[in-house]
Each structure stands twice: as structure tokens, then as C-alpha cells.
């Protein structure tokens, strides 16, 4: 028999008297489900939660628990995380989702309470659209929640960034990944491919493939789609870039033709001593 006032994991807990707890704006007067989060009561329509989460369905189905303020369902989450989750299903009263932190909260709770996959996919999609989040944070989220889409987007941003990653970012993503990204950026540099450009779907796939090739020890262009910068048959000339490549390095080559020299006659005519009669 389930003891009233227990938390969702079954551990005993004694709820405070209802008159001592403030009511959140997401507290409805109807006979719905009451949750207690960080000392505040939420009385909400839980149907959308129970439809997408077996754990929420199990909590709500407990006899008498959550039916009143005296015996709420106790959650050990933060109010910020729980409010973000409710905003996803009740924007009309809870308000819109505006920040990256709110979508990260949804991602966290969607895995904790085993929501349907569409919830975590939606959160990941919205996070990748945010330009304010750093590539290192994206990579961390992808590794923490085991979502490849976030990890891949972080790799693409690192490869296409205008500036190289900082030392702290290299430590966060690990030596192997940092080395692979650096090798890809070096290839883009010597191939005269600009950074911070708009990428097509094919470009993003090629960047990911090049990083994976470096990690596995294969040729960097193995399996990549041909581009003018990588298979150009135009004449090449060595370029001396002090501090980046050695003079005899194969990487010190740009795929662009040498500049044409001005004809000698033109230089003579520009000379003040030259005249047609001379």
C-alpha cells in the first residue's frame, strides 16, 4: 500500500501544511493533479504529461496522492526546470520558451522521466537553432545526454568558426577531437576555403566526414564530395606562410594560379624617362 505524501521514488516525506505553501500561477482551482516543487504547489492538467511519460503516469495513478494540497506529489526538481516543462505543453498560461536554459531543462527532464522521443528531439532541435550557445556547450550537452545531433552540430561550428578554439575548449572536448578539428581547419586554410560561411547540407556532411577520417587514421578527403577547392587541376604555387607551415611542407600550397606579371613595355611607358622618340 502506497503511503500518502511519499515522493515519486517511494521515499517517505511529510508535506508541509497547505496554508504554509504559496500557490504558483500554474495552480488551477479544478480537481486536477497537485505537484509540490521546491516548497511551491502546482495544480495542473497532467494529461499531456501522463500521455508522454510512463513515470508521470505511474505517479498520477497512485491512489489519493496528488488529488489535493494536503497530499501532493513531491518532485525533487527545480522550479525552473519544471516550469520549462510545463511551458512546452501549456504556453497559453505558462508563457513561451525563450531561452537556451529552458530548452536544456526540457531535455534534462525528458530523459529523467523517460518522455517520448519526440520531446527530446524537439528540445535538441531548438537548442541547435540558438546562436548564443557556444560550440563547447553544445558538445557537452551532446555527450551528457547522448544526443548525436548536438555533438555533430558542435563539431561543425568548431570547424567553421572564424577563430580557433581556446585551450579551455580543447580540454573540454578532449585531445583526440581537438586534434581532428584542428587538422580539418588546417586543410580548409590551405585550400583557400573561407571560415564562418553559410554551409549547405553537403558541406556539413563533408566536415563531419573529414573529422571522422582524421580520428580513424584515414585520408582526410576519403568519402567526401568533390569540390573545386579540393580537386582543382589549375596550376599551383608554393606559398610561404611564416609561423604556420615550413617552406618544404606540402600543406603550404594554395589552389590558385600565380598572378600575372605586368608586361615590360607597360613598365617602361610608366617611366618618366621613356618617350616614343627614345
Amino acid at each position: 500500500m502506497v503511503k500518502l505524501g511519499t515522493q515519486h521514488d517511494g521515499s517517505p516525506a511529510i508535506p508541509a501544511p497547505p496554508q504554509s505553501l504559496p500557490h504558483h500561477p500554474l495552480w488551477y482551482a479544478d480537481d486536477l493533479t497537485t505537484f509540490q516543487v521546491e516548497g511551491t504547489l502546482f495544480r495542473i492538467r497532467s494529461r499531456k504529461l501522463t500521455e508522454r511519460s510512463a513515470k508521470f503516469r505511474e505517479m498520477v495513478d497512485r491512489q489519493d496522492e496528488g488529488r489535493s494540497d494536503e497530499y501532493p506529489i513531491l518532485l525533487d526538481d527545480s522550479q525552473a526546470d519544471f516550469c520549462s516543462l510545463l511551458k512546452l505543453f501549456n504556453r497559453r498560461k505558462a508563457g513561451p520558451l525563450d531561452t537556451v536554459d529552458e530548452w536544456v531543462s526540457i531535455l534534462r527532464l525528458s530523459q529523467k522521466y523517460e518522455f517520448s522521443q519526440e520531446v527530446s528531439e524537439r528540445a535538441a532541435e531548438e537548442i541547435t537553432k540558438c546562436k548564443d550557445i557556444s560550440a563547447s556547450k553544445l558538445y557537452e550537452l551532446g555527450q551528457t545526454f547522448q544526443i548525436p545531433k548536438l555533438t555533430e552540430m558542435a563539431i561543425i561550428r568548431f570547424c567553421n568558426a572564424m577563430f580557433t578554439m581556446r585551450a579551455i575548449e580543447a580540454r573540454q572536448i578532449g585531445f583526440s577531437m581537438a586534434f581532428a578539428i584542428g587538422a580539418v581547419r588546417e586543410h580548409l586554410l590551405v585550400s583557400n576555403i573561407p571560415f564562418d560561411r553559410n554551409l549547405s547540407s553537403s558541406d556539413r556532411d563533408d566536415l563531419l566526414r573529414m573529422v571522422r577520417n582524421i580520428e580513424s587514421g584515414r585520408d582526410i578527403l576519403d568519402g567526401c564530395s568533390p569540390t573545386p577547392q579540393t580537386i582543382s587541376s589549375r596550376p599551383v604555387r608554393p606559398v610561404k606562410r611564416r609561423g604556420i607551415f615550413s617552406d618544404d611542407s606540402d600543406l603550404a600550397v594554395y589552389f590558385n594560379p600565380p598572378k600575372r606579371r605586368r608586361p615590360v613595355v607597360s613598365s617602361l611607358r610608366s617611366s618618366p624617362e621613356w618617350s616614343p622618340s627614345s
Side-chain angles (χ1 to χ4, degrees):
M1 182 175 179
V2 179
K3 185 178 179 181
L4 297 181
T6 58
Q7 298 194 48
H8 68 274
D9 57 2
S11 58
I14 301 177
Q19 62 271 16
S20 66
L21 297 179
H23 286 179
H24 194 272
L26 294 174
W27 188 101
Y28 295 86
D30 302 334
D31 185 17
L32 302 177
T33 305
T34 304
F35 293 91
Q36 179 180 328
V37 184
E38 289 188 334
T40 301
L41 296 177
F42 293 75
R43 191 171 181 82
I44 64 173
R45 297 180 176 92
S46 58
R47 180 177 58 83
K48 292 184 177 180
L49 297 178
T50 57
E51 285 178 348
R52 294 168 173 82
S53 169
K55 288 192 174 182
F56 266 106
R57 185 162 54 251
E58 179 184 352
M59 287 187 286
V60 173
D61 288 344
R62 292 174 184 170
Q63 186 178 7
D64 295 331
E65 189 172 359
R67 308 298 181 186
S68 64
D69 289 1
E70 288 78 6
Y71 302 105
I73 297 175
L74 305 182
L75 301 179
D76 58 357
D77 307 303
S78 67
Q79 278 196 45
D81 285 357
F82 192 61
C83 286
S84 298
L85 183 64
L86 297 181
K87 285 181 179 182
L88 182 64
F89 301 116
N90 190 2
R91 292 193 178 189
R92 186 170 59 87
K93 186 165 185 178
L97 292 158
D98 298 324
T99 65
V100 176
D101 291 337
E102 289 177 327
W103 286 108
V104 173
S105 296
I106 293 174
L107 187 60
R108 182 183 301 112
L109 295 188
S110 68
Q111 293 202 351
K112 176 180 179 181
Y113 293 110
E114 299 178 1
F115 275 81
S116 55
Q117 189 175 359
E118 63 181 15
V119 177
S120 59
E121 288 179 352
R122 169 75 186 285
E125 178 69 23
E126 294 296 332
I127 291 173
T128 57
K129 292 179 182 178
C130 298
K131 297 182 179 180
D132 296 335
I133 188 171
S134 64
S136 58
K137 182 63 175 180
L138 271 179
Y139 192 89
E140 178 187 351
L141 292 174
Q143 296 296 299
T144 301
F145 298 109
Q146 295 298 305
I147 300 181
K149 184 173 185 177
L150 295 179
T151 303
E152 292 173 355
M153 182 57 66
I155 294 173
I156 292 171
R157 287 194 183 183
F158 273 127
C159 291
N160 191 42
M162 178 63 69
F163 304 102
T164 57
M165 70 177 66
R166 298 172 298 170
I168 187 172
E169 294 174 325
R171 287 193 293 268
Q172 289 174 346
I173 68 176
F175 170 78
S176 177
M177 180 58 66
F179 176 82
I181 291 173
V184 171
R185 287 179 59 83
E186 186 176 56
H187 170 78
L188 298 177
L189 176 65
V190 301
S191 299
N192 205 22
I193 301 177
F195 295 117
D196 197 23
R197 66 193 188 281
N198 293 326
L199 299 174
S200 64
S201 177
S202 178
D203 292 334
R204 290 192 290 269
D205 292 341
D206 282 345
L207 287 176
L208 291 174
R209 194 172 290 110
M210 284 191 285
V211 171
R212 303 307 183 196
N213 287 342
I214 294 296
E215 283 191 307
S216 59
R218 296 194 300 269
D219 182 84
I220 188 172
L221 297 179
D222 188 16
C224 296
S225 59
T227 62
Q229 289 84 359
T230 56
I231 63 171
S232 174
S233 58
R234 294 181 296 172
V236 298
R237 62 185 178 90
V239 176
K240 183 176 181 180
R241 300 181 63 83
R242 183 175 302 175
I244 300 180
F245 306 119
S246 59
D247 295 345
D248 57 346
S249 172
D250 293 336
L251 295 177
V253 174
Y254 279 98
F255 289 91
N256 56 351
K259 295 181 180 180
R260 294 183 178 181
R261 295 183 179 181
R262 297 178 62 186
V264 176
V265 175
S266 299
S267 62
L268 288 175
R269 288 181 178 179
S270 62
S271 174
E273 292 84 5
W274 184 88
S275 64
S277 60
S278 60

